[in-house]
Amino acid sequence: MAEKGALAEAPPVAVAKKPARPWDPRLLLEREEVLGYLLMLPALGLLTTFVVYPFLYGIWLSLTDSRIGVPGGFVGLKNFIELTRDSIFQQTFRNTFLYTGVTTVFKLAFGLAVAVLLNNTFPLKRFVRAAVLLPWIVPTVLSALAWLWMFDSTFSVINWMLARFGIKGPVWLGTNPWPMISLMAVNIWRGTPFYAISFLAGMQVINQELYEAAAIDGASRWQMFRHITLPTLRPVIIIVVLLSVILTFSDFQLIYVLTRGGPANSTHLFATLAYQVGLPSGEIGLGAAISLFIFPALCLTVFLTLWYMRRQELD
Amino acid sequence: MTPRPVAILDRFISIYVPVVITLVLLLFPFYWMAVTSVKPNAELFDVKANPFIVLRPTLEHYRYLFERTLFANWLLNTTVVAALSTAISLVLSVPAGYALARFRFPGGTLLGWGIFVTYLVPQTLLFLPLTQVINWLGLANTIWSLVLTYPTFLVPFGSWLLIGYFRSIPKDLEESALVDGATRLQALVRIALPLALPGILSVGIFSFTLSWNEFIYALVFISDPVNKTVPVGVTSELIRGDVFFWGSLMAGALLGSVPVALIYSFFVEYFVAGLTAGAVKG
């Protein structure tokens, strides 16, 4: 190219802006803003078609009395008003918050504990670290099937073990409050590895000299955890918790496999109730309205994440 | 001062015992899958027998799975869907990630955050309206409905991870290539792409696993048993009403888990890099 000399000094964009024939496609591609949009275009097209559009269409559906195969008419907020009066929905509402809140606290606590534990040196450490993540890697519905079998009303292996200690185990997925407790237990089992491995990765960048210095000053293990590990880990903890909250709040698979929302619709979350109402029962407008209850939680999560990331960037 | 045996005992109690307990709690369901899948029915449904022991191991459940069900089809479908949607996602997210990492253009930052937001949108928020979109496009009941929709959660994740990755590569190399007369596209393909290969590999592996594991879209878009994926096929076709074929169910669950577990075990480091990409960005 002729402009070689100029390019060496000025940023490339300055050169690209003064060609003799600005409509030459080859030169257009050298302009950041043109090439930038072009490279983004395929991804944006896909996301508009299959995320933005369905989302807006979902809002419209929630304001109609559509049924599968029957286009419905606009009914305003009728679906939402109906839902707030419905006792199954009220139960679902409470379940979703309870399920998210309880499991998040446990996953956070267990995740930290496992991460601290795995941060020690011991034989076969690499193997153990890899094995720990398995519950999170494997397709959730498939591992949930193993739990379904472990919770079986007649052949439950958990109850078999309890019986060795003279305890008669409950019908895990049958009698309240055990179904909800079982669901939470499996969610904690599945989620803890994600917390633990993320925290472990975060811990590995902590400067070991900090601990050595603290040890010389006579700090206890708890004090080191409290004043060195936790503060350094804070950004990782916040992001992991936020990601996990939105995933747990919108959970579907565990409930679908283990209880299908039963017994007597007592263990639904928003997602499973939306599915049951929207597809098998065919009331897709009402189902869409239920799905939309996930949205405020999503907004709050997004807002908190962005706010936190911005603050990190400013620091 | 401290006698050695006490130190060893202390390590034993504070590290080895908790590690073993953690492993047992986390891995027991997989052991249980494996044991159940090789137990003959007579032993499976014997309340008195010790459930941990298999007296006469058998492969009858596996044979049932392959001879009497569509499991082989589901395996093939899942592989094809996961491979294609991973490929599409890479083709879309590499350029998007590069553009967002390197170029300044009006609205660029906003688009970057927009992509991050779609990364957080759960499938359960969209599946009902998306079912209608899939119907209109005539994709219902085909694996193409999945090949085209899985990238919606893979592309945001991939672009986001790759923005970070491209930013970590020094600009100098591409800039000197431009000085030497390379076009911007050439700088991307010949210089940045090879350097970003580990990041691209992370995205690819993670995307494949996420596609393999996806459930709700596969459940609602496809009703023809032949076109189902492993997670949906196993849960919907092997359970008939109240009859549970536990042996073949567990065999199916195990076989459906093995591919992702294998991929994962070969690429643990890339996997953890992908996993923590969102978290470590800050």
Side-chain angles (χ1 to χ4, degrees), chain A residues 109-181:
Chain A
F110 289 157
L112 278 171
V114 173
V116 170
L117 182 64
L118 295 186
N119 206 21
N120 288 299
T121 38
F122 51 86
L124 293 175
K125 183 177 169 177
R126 285 175 66 89
F127 165 78
V128 172
R129 226 173 53 186
V132 158
L133 203 54
L134 268 184
W136 198 75
I137 300 296
V138 159
T140 304
V141 284
L142 300 184
S143 57
L145 278 175
W147 282 96
L148 184 66
W149 171 223
M150 284 158 64
F151 287 140
D152 189 86
S153 53
T154 320
F155 302 101
S156 166
V157 64
I158 303 171
N159 286 356
W160 187 89
M161 283 189 274
L162 288 177
R164 302 304 105 181
F165 298 100
I167 303 165
K168 194 183 174 317
V171 182
W172 293 100
L173 301 175
T175 349
N176 285 321
W178 293 106
M180 205 60 205
I181 294 174

Side-chain angles (χ1 to χ4, degrees), chain A residues 9-271:
Chain A
E9 282 303 318
V13 72
V15 178
K17 272 187 180 159
K18 53 172 183 181
R21 294 179 299 144
W23 57 87
D24 182 334
R26 277 171 304 172
L27 291 174
L28 272 178
L29 280 185
E30 294 310 298
R31 295 175 56 165
E32 281 191 40
E33 67 275 22
V34 175
L35 187 60
Y37 283 124
L38 273 180
L39 292 177
M40 300 272 321
L41 204 62
L44 291 178
L46 178 96
L47 294 177
T48 314
T49 318
F50 292 116
V51 178
V52 178
Y53 175 73
F55 175 68
L56 298 174
Y57 179 61
I59 295 177
W60 163 250
L61 267 182
S62 75
L63 302 173
T64 69
D65 56 1
S66 302
R67 305 179 59 85
I68 294 280
V70 188
F74 182 79
V75 293
L77 293 174
K78 181 165 161 280
N79 287 331
F80 293 95
I81 294 165
E82 223 168 76
L83 284 174
T84 53
R85 295 193 186 131
D86 182 78
S87 68
I88 294 175
F89 180 79
Q90 290 165 0
Q91 175 79 48
T92 304
F93 192 94
R94 286 192 298 271
N95 287 349
T96 310
F97 280 91
L98 186 74
Y99 181 79
T100 310
V102 171
T103 58
T104 303
V105 170
F106 277 96
K107 283 184 277 192
L108 182 56
F110 289 157
L112 278 171
V114 173
V116 170
L117 182 64
L118 295 186
N119 206 21
N120 288 299
T121 38
F122 51 86
L124 293 175
K125 183 177 169 177
R126 285 175 66 89
F127 165 78
V128 172
R129 226 173 53 186
V132 158
L133 203 54
L134 268 184
W136 198 75
I137 300 296
V138 159
T140 304
V141 284
L142 300 184
S143 57
L145 278 175
W147 282 96
L148 184 66
W149 171 223
M150 284 158 64
F151 287 140
D152 189 86
S153 53
T154 320
F155 302 101
S156 166
V157 64
I158 303 171
N159 286 356
W160 187 89
M161 283 189 274
L162 288 177
R164 302 304 105 181
F165 298 100
I167 303 165
K168 194 183 174 317
V171 182
W172 293 100
L173 301 175
T175 349
N176 285 321
W178 293 106
M180 205 60 205
I181 294 174
S182 308
L183 288 175
M184 290 186 205
V186 180
N187 179 282
I188 294 166
W189 171 81
R190 193 196 104 90
T192 298
F194 169 63
Y195 280 68
I197 297 299
S198 302
F199 294 164
L200 186 62
M203 280 178 192
Q204 264 146 23
V205 299
I206 301 178
N207 188 346
Q208 287 304 310
E209 284 170 17
L210 288 175
Y211 291 106
E212 285 157 22
I216 293 170
D217 293 342
S220 69
R221 263 195 255 176
W222 168 252
Q223 283 171 322
M224 289 189 215
F225 175 75
R226 174 79 187 71
H227 296 288
I228 301 174
T229 315
L230 267 190
T232 336
L233 221 49
R234 215 181 57 166
V236 184
I237 294 178
I238 289 179
I239 299 297
V240 166
V241 167
L242 286 171
L243 284 177
S244 160
V245 161
I246 184 68
L247 284 174
T248 313
F249 199 82
S250 60
D251 202 358
F252 176 85
Q253 308 189 23
L254 282 184
I255 296 89
Y256 181 82
V257 170
L258 290 174
T259 67
R260 299 255 162 141
N265 290 319
S266 62
T267 59
H268 273 298
L269 302 186
F270 288 137

Side-chain angles (χ1 to χ4, degrees), chain B residues 19-254:
Chain B
V19 166
V20 171
I21 293 176
T22 309
L23 278 186
V24 168
L25 286 175
L26 290 176
L27 300 184
F28 181 76
F30 303 110
Y31 165 77
W32 201 234
M33 270 183 203
V35 167
T36 307
S37 73
V38 293
K39 252 190 210 180
N41 278 332
E43 287 180 42
L44 271 181
F45 303 113
D46 179 352
V47 206
K48 297 211 178 69
N50 180 337
F52 293 95
I53 302 167
V54 191
L55 293 174
R56 286 184 203 79
T58 170
L59 289 178
E60 62 169 310
H61 301 306
Y62 289 89
R63 191 176 305 131
Y64 177 88
L65 206 56
F66 282 98
E67 286 175 4
R68 306 284 301 281
T69 75
L70 295 165
F71 190 78
N73 289 55
W74 304 334
L75 267 181
L76 184 68
N77 293 340
T78 319
T79 314
V80 171
V81 168
L84 288 179
S85 47
T86 300
I88 293 180
S89 306
L90 284 177
V91 169
L92 298 188
S93 51
V94 168
Y98 185 79
L100 290 171
R102 282 286 191 264
F103 299 156
R104 299 183 143 272
F105 49 93
T109 322
L110 197 68
L111 286 177
W113 289 117
I115 285 191
F116 180 71
V117 171
T118 48
Y119 169 44
L120 295 176
V121 173
Q123 284 101 288
T124 43
L125 180 63
L126 298 177
F127 74 102
L128 285 173
L130 203 49
T131 311
Q132 302 282 62
V133 175
I134 292 297
N135 283 334
W136 293 332
L137 293 175
L139 297 172
N141 251 330
T142 68
I143 60 169
W144 302 110
S145 62
L146 307 182
V147 171
L148 286 177
T149 50
Y150 285 2
T152 58
F153 53 87
L154 304 177
V155 166
F157 159 78
S159 318
W160 195 246
L161 192 143
L162 287 170
I163 293 174
Y165 210 91
F166 281 124
R167 281 203 184 131
S168 73
I169 303 172
K171 267 186 184 170
D172 313 4
L173 284 171
E174 289 150 69
E175 275 168 7
S176 52
L178 291 178
V179 172
D180 290 344
T183 63
R184 284 189 181 277
L185 272 178
Q186 286 170 331
L188 161 58
V189 176
R190 301 215 185 124
I191 315 276
L193 216 54
L195 289 173
L197 222 47
I200 295 173
L201 197 59
S202 273
V203 174
I205 290 159
F206 217 84
S207 300
F208 189 88
T209 323
L210 286 177
S211 315
W212 187 280
N213 295 3
E214 204 282 333
F215 185 68
I216 190 161
Y217 287 175
L219 175 74
V220 299
F221 297 160
I222 293 175
S223 50
D224 187 348
V226 183
N227 291 336
K228 286 183 174 174
T229 60
V230 171
V232 177
V234 170
T235 38
S236 64
E237 300 297 316
L238 296 185
I239 301 174
R240 296 251 171 243
D242 284 341
V243 189
F244 289 81
F245 300 97
W246 284 113
S248 42
L249 263 175
M250 290 300 103
L254 196 66

